Amino acid sequence: MTNPQDRTLTSAGFYVSQEAPINTDNPVPTPSVPAPDILRCAYMELVVTDLAASRKFYVDVLGLVVSDEDDNAVYLRSMEEFIHHNLVLRQGPVAAVAAFSYRVRSPQELDAAVAFYTELGCRVERRAEGFTKGIGDSVRVVDPLGFPYEFFYDVDHVERLAWRYDLYSPGALVRLDHFNQITPDVPRATKFMQDLGFRVTEDIQDDAGTVYAAWMRRKPTVHDTAMTGGDGPRMHHVAFSTHEKHNILAICDKLGALRLSDSIERGPGRHGVSNAFYLYLRDPDGHRVEIYTQDYYTGDPDNPVVTWDVHDNQRRDWWGNPVVPSWYTEGSLVLDLDGNPQAVIARTEDTELAVTIGADGFSYTRAEDTEAMPEWKQGEYKLGNQL
């Protein structure tokens, strides 16, 4: 972890500091040209193997709004969105992510994106007509971490349905909130994202300095994306926001009523990291979707960075509930610009799963406790004695 002199222990049990306490011995070179000015995460393009089944899940069950569709793709948006879409479902042979897409501040930022990634030696493609319906001039790249990114400004506007309460479901999804990416080297990925203009808000480390995950933002929330340590590059999840936590409970009730409770992988619960209320679902292809609400504002320039101990059993769930192993180990493939799955590189550092689940004595609720946890709570909480 960071030098104790540079951090403050809070009453909530985590540390805060003014700078992200993450360093790498293997950085991606910092380009000499400015990075594109990114506004926010805007949409994800998912390849699915059964378009009809995926449409049913995202539209009929989760209530996303169809902006457009054809025989090969469905374009979806959340209730408060005014750009054409937040999610593209595209029929394909292999379930994967085709693009993590960001909106930039002006059309000129696309030139900056081309220069930034060209200097890094990355493959860069630009299409004046865009790569998807509803999006104009766009740049797609495969970044040095192996992820397919898109940058755009020009977009078709659609009706923002924020005032159409007659169309709201009890579990209405109102915004795209963030992505989460799996990478074998979190410090390297974090440094590169900082070069791209992202700021770290929270991270998970241990006393040896191993970094297990980092949360980074452009918009003033906890994150637009997170880097989670594991075999990668892969996508961990895409997250949509609701207004309140009762909306998440309504989604759970709906899934139960439809006999689709097997779609629930984890939750509902409250995160320690981000302080948000959450639910994790798996779509028909196994792509992970988080339903998320009630994190906090991070827009001030001196917003403190929160660092969690990997052995704090409230970091992932504030209530101390177990994290299922699949949540740590499984993720979606990502594609190159030709539509081929990227090779997955194994993480060589310790993983959260290895140092917590099933390892008696590694987790704690109060770090200063001298008494051991109850036997049924040891390991990564209750789950440790079940593996």
Side-chain angles (χ1 to χ4, degrees):
M1 283 193 178
T2 56
N3 187 326
Q5 295 179 344
D6 298 328
R7 63 182 188 174
T8 302
L9 180 65
T10 71
S11 61
F14 51 75
Y15 292 91
V16 296
S17 60
Q18 281 307 133
E19 298 295 333
I22 299 172
N23 299 296
T24 177
D25 295 328
N26 182 34
V28 175
T30 301
S32 62
V33 297
D37 188 356
I38 296 169
L39 289 173
R40 59 170 171 131
C41 61
Y43 81 87
M44 176 173 283
E45 182 177 345
L46 280 180
V47 178
V48 299
T49 59
D50 186 334
L51 188 59
S54 293
R55 187 191 192 282
K56 181 177 180 180
F57 178 81
Y58 286 100
V59 178
D60 298 343
V61 177
L62 293 185
L64 288 173
V65 177
V66 178
S67 295
D68 201 348
E69 61 185 319
D70 54 39
D71 290 342
N72 296 310
V74 181
Y75 300 83
L76 305 172
R77 72 182 190 274
S78 51
M79 296 298 291
E80 295 184 355
E81 188 56 82
F82 72 94
I83 71 170
H84 188 263
H85 55 261
N86 298 131
L87 184 67
V88 179
L89 306 174
R90 191 175 303 282
Q91 179 73 42
V94 178
V97 176
F100 300 81
S101 187
Y102 288 92
R103 197 172 193 204
V104 295
R105 191 169 299 277
S106 70
Q108 292 72 36
E109 296 304 322
L110 297 183
D111 296 332
V114 170
F116 184 87
Y117 285 97
T118 298
E119 184 174 329
L120 288 169
C122 298
R123 181 177 172 187
V124 179
E125 290 191 7
R126 185 169 184 174
R127 293 185 186 175
E129 72 280 10
F131 293 82
T132 65
K133 287 183 179 181
I135 304 292
D137 189 10
S138 306
V139 173
R140 285 196 175 185
V141 305
V142 173
D143 78 359
L145 309 174
F147 292 101
Y149 271 29
E150 179 182 273
F151 303 96
F152 72 93
Y153 177 78
D154 294 328
V155 64
D156 290 348
H157 286 198
V158 292
E159 182 183 3
R160 175 178 271 158
L161 299 173
W163 295 268
R164 289 297 308 275
Y165 293 106
D166 55 316
L167 302 179
Y168 274 56
S169 68
L173 306 183
V174 294
R175 289 182 297 277
L176 174 69
D177 190 82
H178 63 265
F179 309 135
N180 188 305
Q181 301 165 241
I182 308 173
T183 184
D185 189 336
V186 175
R188 185 171 190 262
T190 301
K191 169 61 167 57
F192 176 69
M193 296 301 286
Q194 289 172 317
D195 286 347
L196 195 54
F198 285 73
R199 296 190 64 181
V200 176
T201 58
E202 302 201 25
D203 62 73
I204 296 175
Q205 301 193 30
D206 63 18
D207 286 336
T210 301
V211 183
Y212 297 86
W215 285 255
M216 288 160 284
R217 63 93 178 168
R218 287 294 298 174
K219 67 182 185 307
T221 63
V222 171
H223 55 320
D224 284 274
T225 196
M227 292 294 175
T228 295
D231 300 346
R234 293 182 295 161
M235 186 269 285
H236 191 274
H237 64 263
V238 58
F240 287 89
S241 289
T242 64
H243 277 147
E244 301 286 349
K245 55 182 176 289
H246 68 76
N247 302 123
I248 290 178
L249 299 178
I251 293 171
C252 293
D253 283 340
K254 183 176 183 179
L255 289 166
L258 294 173
R259 289 289 169 173
L260 295 173
S261 60
D262 287 349
S263 298
I264 300 174
E265 180 186 33
R266 180 180 165 209
R270 171 78 69 183
H271 282 309
V273 175
S274 82
N275 197 40
F277 201 80
Y278 71 85
L279 174 70
Y280 290 97
L281 307 175
R282 303 292 284 271
D283 79 0
D285 280 294
H287 294 307
R288 185 179 289 107
V289 181
E290 183 181 17
I291 315 299
Y292 179 96
T293 192
Q294 300 180 334
D295 62 350
Y296 58 92
Y297 170 80
T298 62
D300 285 15
D302 56 349
N303 180 72
V305 177
V306 175
T307 296
W308 296 80
D309 186 341
V310 71
H311 302 304
D312 182 347
N313 73 10
Q314 293 186 198
R315 74 200 184 283
R316 290 295 191 180
D317 185 278
W318 190 240
W319 307 337
N321 286 324
V323 181
V324 294
S326 63
W327 193 90
Y328 282 123
T329 59
E330 296 180 11
S332 299
L333 296 173
V334 301
L335 303 179
D336 64 19
L337 299 186
D338 295 318
N340 301 310
Q342 293 277 65
V344 175
I345 300 170
R347 177 175 169 89
T348 57
E349 293 185 288
D350 289 339
T351 66
E352 277 192 77
L353 180 69
V355 301
T356 54
I357 291 183
D360 282 0
F362 274 86
S363 298
Y364 65 80
T365 300
R366 293 162 297 274
E368 70 278 6
D369 277 357
T370 57
E371 296 182 7
M373 278 186 183
E375 183 178 349
W376 52 268
K377 194 80 165 156
Q378 290 178 3
E380 175 87 337
Y381 341 146
K382 302 156 198 161
L383 192 62
N385 295 332
Q386 298 173 10
L387 295 181

